[in-house]
Amino acid sequence: MVHSVKTKSSAAFLLLVVATGAVFLGALVLTFFVAPTERMMGIVQKIFYFHVPSAIVMGVLFLVCAVASLAYLLKNDSRLDAIGATAAELAVVFGAIALITGPLWARKAWGAWWTWEPRLTLTLLSVFIYAGYLAMRAYGGEKEFSRRVAAGLGLMGAPAYYFIKVAVDKWGGNHPKNVVYGKGEGLMNPDMRLAFFAGLIAVLMLTVTLFVMRYRTRMLKERVDTAISEMQKYDLLEDG
Amino acid sequence: MNQHIQHFWVVFRKDIRIELRTREILLTMGLFALLLVVVFSFAFYTDAERSRIYAPGILWTTVVFSGTIGLNRLFERENENGCLSGVLLTPISPRMVFVAKAMGNLLFTLLMEILTVPLLVMFFSLDIQPVGIFLSGLLLGTVGFCFVGTLFAAMLSAARMKEVLVPLVVYPIIVPIIIGGVKVTAVVLNDYPVEEALNWLKLIAGFDLLFVSLAIWLFEPMIAP
């Protein structure tokens, strides 16, 4: 089934892009000029304002992907598939951001680039799952079929995320919790808290913007593909 | 219900019979496992004291890697000449086909473990105490691995890159099994408190319960709309 997609950028989307840019700029100003530099961590602590929002967004996107995957398996609607794929794609991007900024933080805070800290491990493994989702779509064979297989994986990802969380929490019990989780409580300074919430909103808005963009691209591509195969059916395409 | 059991037997027996005649899966899996154990012995063995620390990881790596070899071969027959469609076109419910294939896989993997585990115990001079906890950990872990593995092996049986894709999607999902299995094995090898092993066993059992039912349910909507 072909769904109609708006081909022109709507005014609302343009507004969203501008607003996202403005909020991001504001968040950066708050991060670097308003929020005080932390005493122990120095400038590295500012990673926190974008690292944590990226990780939160990643988690939300995983959930979106799982729900969309379930719905796709039940309803077989290509829009649901596009939502799931877009969510997985962005989840991998924001997961990668969290995974790159995490070790930078860890080096300063704990003296090692990588610790098998539960949250970091969980992030790494869930990024693996959704990278597998994307690989499955790319190399899983025939298009419709690989989408269904990827959706099955996307759905399994949510309970797997829960079980991995329980397992690595139990496993990585050697890490002092107050150091790991202390960073959340460390935001006693109101300016820091302001910068954090600004960062959170900025990253959320960026996610929405990218989501709308990628979703639309996907649906447009779907339409072009359908058109091409229709034309091939009636032999209307020139060779090459 | 009776009919379902009958259907199950038809598919299950077919796989056993093919395996008995070709010995394809067991031979490749068994030889690979043997080779892995030998390689790991060269890589890690120093003395009995230290091998107790490495052995859990070596055991589970061997099981999962060799199991993956089996997964890649599991649907080889069905893949040839589009036989999977043929099997699915029979009046047997797709779910029963899946359960039978997964149970066949489970049987082969357990046979591979029967070969591998005693060898590991010998090569690394291990002392497993209590055996019951160790075996239930191994069994529960293998069940979860086989069902999740069979699901994706079935889906990707026709894919060009299935040798890479199957482990790529299966390993991250079964991480709780690997962590739990390694922990349970560590407990029985090092005389750690048994309660700790029981906690991990519960986690693996919970994982199995959810993922085995999820895999059985997912097979049908995944393979055809």
Side-chain angles (χ1 to χ4, degrees), chain A residues 125-138:
Chain A
L125 288 167
S126 17
V127 167
F128 277 152
I129 292 183
Y130 288 89
Y133 175 102
L134 296 177
M136 194 98 93
R137 292 176 66 92

Side-chain angles (χ1 to χ4, degrees), chain A residues 70 73-74 76 125 128-129 132 135-136 139-140 145 148-149 152-153 155-156 159-160 163-164 166-168 170-171, chain B residues 151-152 155-156 161 165 168-169 172-173 175-176 179 183 199-200 203 206-207 210-211 214 217-218 221-223 225:
Chain A
L70 174 65
L73 283 172
L74 295 174
N76 199 26
L125 288 167
F128 277 152
I129 292 183
M136 194 98 93
Y139 308 113
F145 181 66
R148 308 194 65 78
V149 180
L153 179 64
L155 173 59
M156 271 197 169
F163 270 98
I164 294 170
V166 174
V168 294
K170 265 166 79 78
W171 173 64
Chain B
L151 178 69
F152 288 104
M155 296 306 152
L156 294 166
M161 292 175 51
L165 282 178
L168 194 70
V169 298
I173 291 185
V175 156
I179 296 179
K183 286 287 177 189
N199 266 333
W200 284 104
L203 177 76
F207 181 95
L210 187 66
F211 277 84
L214 202 57
W217 179 76
L218 270 172
M222 267 166 93
I223 203 122

Side-chain angles (χ1 to χ4, degrees), chain B residues 43-121:
Chain B
F44 294 109
Y45 188 77
T46 44
D47 51 73
E49 196 55 38
R50 251 176 264 179
S51 63
R52 286 199 299 196
I53 300 167
Y54 299 131
I58 291 171
L59 170 74
W60 282 91
T61 320
T62 310
V63 165
V64 170
F65 281 9
S66 313
T68 311
I69 296 279
L71 284 182
N72 283 330
R73 308 226 54 91
L74 191 63
F75 283 87
E76 201 75 346
R77 298 278 154 212
E78 276 83 353
N79 196 22
E80 282 168 17
N81 311 322
C83 289
L84 186 56
S85 317
V87 174
L88 289 172
L89 279 174
T90 57
I92 302 175
S93 100
R95 272 172 200 147
M96 259 309 134
V97 174
F98 171 72
V99 173
K101 289 299 284 186
M103 291 304 279
N105 181 23
L106 180 63
L107 179 70
F108 301 145
T109 313
L110 288 176
L111 285 174
M112 179 270 291
E113 286 168 4
I114 290 175
L115 169 81
T116 318
V117 173
L119 275 178
L120 261 174
V121 170

Side-chain angles (χ1 to χ4, degrees), chain B residues 59-60 63 106 110 113 117 128-145 177 180-185 187-188 194 196-206 208:
Chain B
L59 170 74
W60 282 91
V63 165
L106 180 63
L110 288 176
E113 286 168 4
V117 173
I128 294 173
Q129 218 47 263
V131 180
I133 288 194
F134 170 72
L135 289 182
S136 34
L138 195 59
L139 183 69
L140 285 174
T142 312
V143 168
F145 170 61
I177 287 184
V182 166
K183 286 287 177 189
V184 170
T185 315
V187 167
V188 297
V194 179
E196 202 184 320
L198 291 179
N199 266 333
W200 284 104
L201 281 180
K202 264 185 237 159
L203 177 76
I204 305 177
D208 281 2

